[in-house]
Amino acid sequence: MPRHRRCRVVLLPGDGIGPEVIAEAAAVLRDAAARAGLPLELEEHRVGGAAIDADGEPLPAAVLEAAKRSDAVLLGAVGSPRHDALPRDRRPEQALLGLRRGLGVYANLRPVKLHPALIGASPLRPERVAGTDMLIVRELTGGLYFGQPRGIQGEGDARRAVNTMTYTVGEIRRIARVAFEAARRRRQKVTSVDKANILETSILWRETVQAVAGDYPGVRLEHLYVDNAAMQLLARPADFDVVLTENMFGDILSDEAAMLAGGIGMLPSASLGEGPGLYEPVHGSAPDIAGKGIANPLAAILSAAMLLRHSLELPEEADRVDAAVAQALDDGARTADLARQGVEVLTTRAMGDAVRERLRPQSAARTQGGTR
Ligand code: IPM
Ligand code: MG
C-alpha cells in the first residue's frame, strides 16, 4: 500500500448485530490509521437484508463496484429471519457470496487462537483446549457453494435438487500454496482435510496438495478425512497448526473450532485474492440479540486488525490491536457471551472502549514494556 495516497475502506455493516460490532471495529481502525499517519477514508454501504429493504436487492451493483475500487472491505454480518422466505438468489446471504465471488477472494483465513483468560469459556475441559492456536485456510470461491449445475426442478415426488461440487487443479493449488506459506511462518505443519475415500473432488484435492507439498520440504503434511477431522479437532486441538480445506468442509469445521476459543464471538476472518481483501467476523447476524447493545465486538475488532495487517500493511498497528484485545481480556473485560455467572458484563460499546483505551500510548507502554 503506497503511503502517499489515501486508503479507502468500504464498511458494510449489514444486518442484525452487524452495525453494532462494525461501529466498534471502525473506531479502532480510525484510531490505528491516525496513529500511523495514514489518511483513511471510510465509506459505508448497505448489503444483505438492509439492502433488500432499501434498494430491492442484497448486493446492489454500485456496492460491489465500490468494494472493487477500495483497498479493503470490512463487513459485519448478513441475514435476517424476515428474509428467510425469499428465493435463494434474493436472500441476504447472496450479498456475501456475490462479494466473495466478485472480489475473487478465494483464500479465507480463520485464526482460532485460545486466549488464556478465556480457557474456562470453552465447553471443553481446560486441559484439552489449552494451547489451541490454529489457522483454518478455507477455499472460498469454489466447491458446492458455486458449482454448476444447481437448482430444483420437477413436480411432486419427482421434484429433484442438485448441487455440484467441483474443483480444478488450479483452484486447489493456489489455496494449498496459501496454507503452506502460512505454515512456514507458523509451526510448519499443514493438515489437509478431504473425503478422498468417497469423492473425486477430494481425490484430486489430495493429489494436488501432496504435489504442492514438494515445494515446501520444511513443512509437515498430514491428510485427514473430514469426519475424522471433526473428531480430532475436539480430541487434540492443540496439535493443529494450519488446517487446509475446501469451502463447505471449512464452513462446518470453523464453527466447530470456534468453540475451542471462547465461542464464535471471538473469531475474525480475512478473505484474500488478487484485489481488495474482505474482512468479517465469522459469527452471523444473531437476530435474537440485535439492537440490544450486548453483542461481542471482538471478532469484528480482530477482523479490523487483520485488515490493518494484510491490506493496509500496518503490521505494528495490527499487533497493537491484537495486544489491546488480549489486555482487555486479561483485565477481565467480558461481554455476555464470554462472562461466567457473577462477573460484570460489558455492553458492545463498553467492550470497544475497553480495547481502545488499551491502544492509547500510555497503556501500550504498559503492555509493551515501556517503549513509546
Ligand atoms: C460463513 C457463513 C457463510 C458461509 C453464510 C452466511 C453464507 O456461514 O462465513 O461461515 O456459509 O460461508
Ligand atoms: Mg459458516
Side-chain angles (χ1 to χ4, degrees):
M1 183 67 38
R3 292 291 162 83
H4 56 268
R5 72 176 176 92
R6 299 179 73 78
C7 278
R8 212 161 46 120
V9 171
V10 164
L11 297 179
L12 305 175
D15 303 321
I17 60 172
E20 298 160 55
V21 297
I22 289 301
E24 301 311 314
V28 166
L29 265 188
R30 262 189 225 102
D31 280 13
R35 226 181 357 253
L38 180 74
L40 178 69
E41 210 177 289
L42 298 178
E43 182 186 317
E44 195 170 312
H45 294 280
R46 282 186 295 266
V47 287
I52 295 173
D53 290 341
D55 314 301
E57 49 183 330
L59 180 64
V63 176
L64 179 57
E65 280 316 306
K68 284 183 178 170
R69 284 195 315 268
S70 74
D71 294 295
V73 179
L74 181 61
L75 182 139
V78 292
S80 80
R82 278 195 307 113
H83 301 97
D84 274 354
L86 289 171
R88 185 191 61 85
D89 58 347
R90 290 180 34 224
R91 287 172 57 115
E93 286 81 357
Q94 285 306 308
L96 203 45
L97 300 188
L99 280 163
R100 290 173 180 173
R101 186 65 150 192
L103 296 173
V105 286
Y106 61 87
N108 182 223
L109 312 182
R110 297 185 164 184
V112 181
K113 186 170 179 174
L114 174 67
H115 188 279
L118 294 182
I119 196 158
S122 172
L124 292 176
R125 284 201 304 275
E127 66 271 23
R128 183 118 322 168
V129 291
T132 296
D133 179 6
M134 73 183 87
L135 176 68
I136 298 180
V137 176
R138 169 188 175 193
E139 201 290 328
L140 202 61
T141 53
L144 279 171
Y145 277 59
F146 296 98
Q148 294 291 342
R150 68 183 300 157
I152 305 181
Q153 278 171 350
E155 298 297 331
D157 284 1
R159 194 154 179 250
R160 179 174 175 272
V162 60
N163 289 101
T164 302
M165 190 186 244
T166 156
Y167 272 106
T168 64
V169 167
E171 286 174 312
I172 301 167
R173 193 185 287 133
R174 66 181 180 178
I175 190 73
R177 289 202 179 285
V178 171
F180 280 95
E181 291 293 334
R184 263 191 179 164
R185 294 186 297 270
R186 296 173 49 98
R187 302 195 310 275
Q188 318 283 330
K189 181 174 169 196
V190 171
T191 302
S192 177
V193 175
D194 61 37
K195 189 73 183 172
N197 48 349
I198 301 290
L199 301 175
E200 282 79 2
T201 40
S202 282
I203 294 171
L204 191 67
W205 181 277
R206 195 174 277 221
E207 271 173 31
T208 308
V209 171
Q210 193 67 49
V212 170
D215 295 339
Y216 298 86
V219 178
R220 241 171 346 120
L221 170 64
E222 73 174 349
H223 300 280
L224 291 183
Y225 296 138
V226 61
D227 49 348
N228 186 25
M231 184 172 71
Q232 299 300 333
L233 276 174
L234 304 184
R236 50 176 182 96
D239 273 4
F240 291 91
D241 181 16
V242 175
V243 177
L244 164 64
T245 192
E246 66 88 40
N247 203 346
M248 179 84 155
F249 298 160
D251 178 44
I252 298 168
L253 293 180
S254 57
D255 270 32
E256 184 192 4
M259 294 313 289
L260 303 165
I264 199 126
M266 290 301 299
L267 244 61
S269 83
S271 302
L272 308 176
E274 304 304 325
L278 171 64
Y279 300 82
E280 43 169 326
V282 173
H283 63 67
S285 54
D288 52 323
I289 58 163
K292 297 186 177 161
I294 59 170
N296 181 355
L298 293 181
I301 289 172
L302 292 168
S303 299
M306 293 185 88
L307 188 159
L308 290 166
R309 189 180 309 281
H310 296 286
S311 287
L312 302 190
E313 289 173 19
L314 295 175
E316 302 88 7
E317 291 304 322
D319 287 346
R320 289 168 72 105
V321 175
D322 287 344
V325 168
Q327 191 64 52
L329 290 170
D330 280 345
D331 294 345
R334 298 285 186 276
T335 41
D337 57 318
L338 302 176
R340 297 197 212 193
Q341 272 197 338
V343 165
E344 188 204 351
V345 167
L346 298 185
T347 62
T348 308
R349 169 64 53 83
M351 181 60 111
D353 287 344
V355 173
R356 283 192 301 279
E357 273 161 26
R358 289 163 178 80
L359 277 171
R360 298 212 180 99
Q362 62 274 31
S363 39
R366 187 165 46 111
T367 58
Q368 294 174 3
T371 45
R372 274 188 98 145

